[in-house]
Amino acid sequence: MTTAAHPEAPDAQPLVPLHCLLHAEPGPPRQAALPTGTPVWVLSRHADVRQALAHPGFGRATLHAPDAPPLTLTPNILDDPASMLNSDGPDHQQIRRTVQRAFTPRAIERWRPWVDGVVRELVDELAASGSPADVVAALTKPLPVRVISRLMELEGLDIDRLGHWSDHALSTTAYTADEIRTAIREFSEFGYQLVVARRENPGEDLVSSLVQAADQTGGVTEEQLTSLTIGLVIAGHETTMTSFGNALVYLLDPQHADAWRRVGEDLSAATAATEQILRTVPLGDRTSAPGLLRRAVADVEIGGVLIPEGAIIACDAGSANHDPAVYPTGPTDLFSPLGAPSLTFGAGPHHCLGAWLARMELELGLHHLARVLPDLRLAAPVEDIAWRTGLLTRSPLRLDVAW
Amino acid sequence: MSPDPVVVTVDQTRCIGSGLCARTAPDALALGPNGRAIPVHPTAAPSHTLTEAAEMCPVEAIAVHHATTGELLAPIW
């Protein structure tokens, strides 16, 4: 979410849409380096990535141990040692179990009528505003914010302030380290106050149920609860907005006009297309790391290579999602079932908590937009798209569409 | 009389190896060498933890059926 814009420098080469990014050919583990100079083993085959992400010999907690090599040039919220993402084993599962129940496919499905209503409302408003319109401002940005705000009962929250925090928390180069730390501190304070308030006055919302579940189970620290709460706020809107915006850049290409109409005519077509788009269109350029990072806590053999204890691996889900050993090569058939699950949401203990919510928002968003506006097209050439850059994700800053 | 046994199945295509089931019901489920969950025994005694494991699975890869009637016992919508 952006309040301060981060368009690239005016003289820069136009950035290619995310679905046009080239992927490294999947192959055996290879050695590379992070921007900090830290050596990493990059895994790129579907089987290797999947195995490594589920393997107890690789963890995230030790990525932030005192002896760990530098991983990023600037801080970001994903490095918070209190976060669920950076705990392993029983510690992690204790926190994960506390929240998992609210995010199973069945639990999320109960939200469908409500999400459907929000999508219809936003799409109808967009259509009524007349052509052309900015679909980011009208739909891809407000939808995930409204959904997570409702789930967490954050109505009345200052959306711009939230966007400011979120942008800083997921920044790579857009802000200085001091700016990022200040924003994360303010955001954490907000999260902490929310936890305290919902403990005193519990409601039916997600934060209240988290606090209650954590207090009943015990062993979840206040710091972890706070981290979890603000993590849900960020994860609940940033990634979905990014996926949705990039999916539209892809689908509104004139060569996909037939697919676009089909997505609007048939919800199950939208569901299938959502899976294929999630598999093939990455969230960002991965300039900060060539994949999802883990650290070996023991010697582990993966893909024929012995990864020694203490070494860092980067699991390149983007390459793995194009592995010809698992998925057909050539142009993507948007409406064919995936077969093997894609690695977009990861695998193993840290598999994305919000995967089903993200899928639902995307499929309903694409379906209703294509249903109401079957002749939707980009109002300007793809080369003219202004992107949000300097963050872990990349998506259109605005996307003008016409019909 | 002991309760009727149940059959636990794990959809190997859906399973993403979160390990939550093996942690929740270690008597009935374990992570296999390929990082995917497998039932420890062909049949098991029904239990609260087994139901919880099936309900907790992030991708609903686990199903618990009655061993003779085939009735789905968990997860229940």
Side-chain angles (χ1 to χ4, degrees):
Chain A
M1 310 303 301
T2 189
T3 46
H6 323 289
E8 66 263 33
D11 55 350
Q13 285 286 318
L15 291 165
V16 299
L18 279 297
H19 65 270
C20 300
L21 284 182
L22 296 176
H23 298 278
E25 199 62 34
R30 63 173 196 278
Q31 286 190 290
L34 297 175
T36 53
T38 296
V40 284
W41 284 97
V42 181
L43 311 185
S44 57
R45 290 185 295 216
H46 192 277
D48 294 348
V49 169
R50 189 168 163 163
Q51 188 189 353
L53 290 176
H55 200 295
F58 295 107
R60 282 200 54 96
T62 54
L63 284 172
H64 307 284
D67 73 328
L71 304 176
T72 54
L73 297 169
T74 54
N76 74 65
I77 204 154
L78 304 182
D79 295 335
D80 176 4
S83 112
M84 178 164 66
L85 181 62
N86 294 320
S87 61
D88 294 325
D91 289 350
H92 167 260
Q93 293 210 327
Q94 176 147 4
I95 315 172
R96 177 79 189 219
R97 285 178 61 185
T98 303
V99 284
Q100 182 61 49
R101 204 170 272 283
F103 287 93
T104 59
R106 276 159 302 133
I108 294 302
E109 200 55 37
R110 291 186 196 114
W111 290 96
R112 181 175 287 271
W114 188 83
V115 174
D116 192 76
V118 173
V119 172
R120 285 170 186 267
E121 207 176 291
L122 291 171
V123 168
D124 289 347
E125 281 168 22
L126 169 76
S129 75
S131 171
D134 172 14
V135 73
V136 170
L139 181 61
T140 66
K141 185 169 159 177
L143 171 64
V145 177
R146 272 207 211 176
V147 170
I148 200 67
S149 302
R150 174 66 182 80
L151 258 63
M152 302 178 79
E153 279 180 24
L154 301 176
E155 283 90 348
L157 176 74
D158 183 342
I159 299 290
D160 288 342
R161 197 155 158 239
L162 183 64
H164 168 88
W165 287 333
S166 181
D167 265 11
H168 282 72
L170 296 173
S171 161
T172 52
T173 57
Y175 303 99
T176 67
D178 273 351
E179 288 171 330
I180 296 167
R181 278 190 207 100
T182 303
I184 292 178
R185 197 165 53 238
E186 289 174 8
F187 198 6
S188 300
E189 180 58 26
F190 160 82
Y192 176 67
Q193 294 302 336
L194 195 61
V195 167
V196 170
R198 297 294 157 86
R199 179 175 284 128
E200 275 174 18
N201 260 322
E204 298 297 310
D205 62 290
L206 193 53
V207 184
S208 299
S209 58
L210 278 183
V211 173
Q212 284 168 337
D215 290 352
Q216 276 164 19
T217 323
V220 180
T221 68
E222 212 68 352
E223 221 181 346
Q224 287 170 328
L225 256 182
T226 299
S227 158
L228 202 51
T229 302
I230 64 174
L232 290 174
V233 177
I234 295 184
H237 71 259
E238 166 69 30
T239 47
T240 309
M241 177 191 73
T242 299
S243 281
F244 198 175
N246 290 325
L248 288 174
V249 174
Y250 173 79
L251 277 174
L252 296 180
D253 186 307
Q255 66 165 311
H256 296 132
D258 290 343
W260 179 251
R261 272 189 287 276
R262 194 167 158 191
V263 162
E265 285 159 6
D266 176 5
L267 180 60
S268 65
T271 308
T274 295
E275 287 296 329
Q276 290 287 358
I277 288 170
L278 284 168
R279 173 175 77 84
T280 52
V281 184
L283 279 177
D285 296 290
R286 286 172 299 128
T287 43
S288 63
L292 304 164
L293 300 182
R294 298 289 186 272
R295 191 167 181 209
V297 293
D299 292 351
V300 184
E301 193 188 317
I302 292 279
V305 172
L306 186 78
I307 312 286
E309 180 183 343
I312 310 285
I313 59 167
C315 299
D316 182 353
S319 287
N321 278 342
H322 289 84
D323 190 337
V326 178
Y327 302 109
T329 53
T332 307
D333 176 358
L334 281 175
F335 304 108
S336 72
L338 270 191
S342 82
L343 294 161
T344 300
F345 294 114
H350 297 286
H351 179 266
C352 175
L353 187 63
W356 296 96
L357 184 59
R359 285 183 169 108
M360 183 190 290
E361 290 182 42
L362 272 176
E363 74 180 38
L364 289 173
L366 293 172
H367 172 63
H368 287 305
L369 187 60
R371 180 181 58 79
V372 173
L373 299 171
D375 297 318
L376 198 67
R377 61 181 193 278
L378 295 182
V382 161
E383 297 74 38
D384 293 352
I385 293 174
W387 299 93
R388 302 169 69 240
T389 57
L391 309 176
L392 292 172
T393 62
R394 173 156 72 87
S395 63
L397 195 57
R398 58 176 294 142
L399 191 64
D400 291 311
V401 292
W403 60 92
Chain B
M1 201 177 90
S2 61
D4 294 340
V6 296
V7 176
V8 187
T9 53
V10 180
D11 182 331
Q12 294 294 300
T13 306
R14 285 180 76 94
C15 176
I16 42 88
S18 78
L20 282 170
C21 59
R23 161 98 176 135
T24 305
D27 298 343
L29 291 146
L31 277 189
N34 63 359
R36 287 168 224 189
I38 40 169
V40 177
H41 307 289
T43 59
S47 70
H48 175 68
T49 55
L50 191 50
T51 303
E52 190 184 353
E55 287 178 349
M56 192 72 80
C57 175
V59 292
E60 284 187 354
I62 301 171
V64 181
H65 289 94
H66 190 283
T68 43
T69 66
E71 184 196 352
L72 179 68
L73 302 173
I76 299 288
W77 280 70

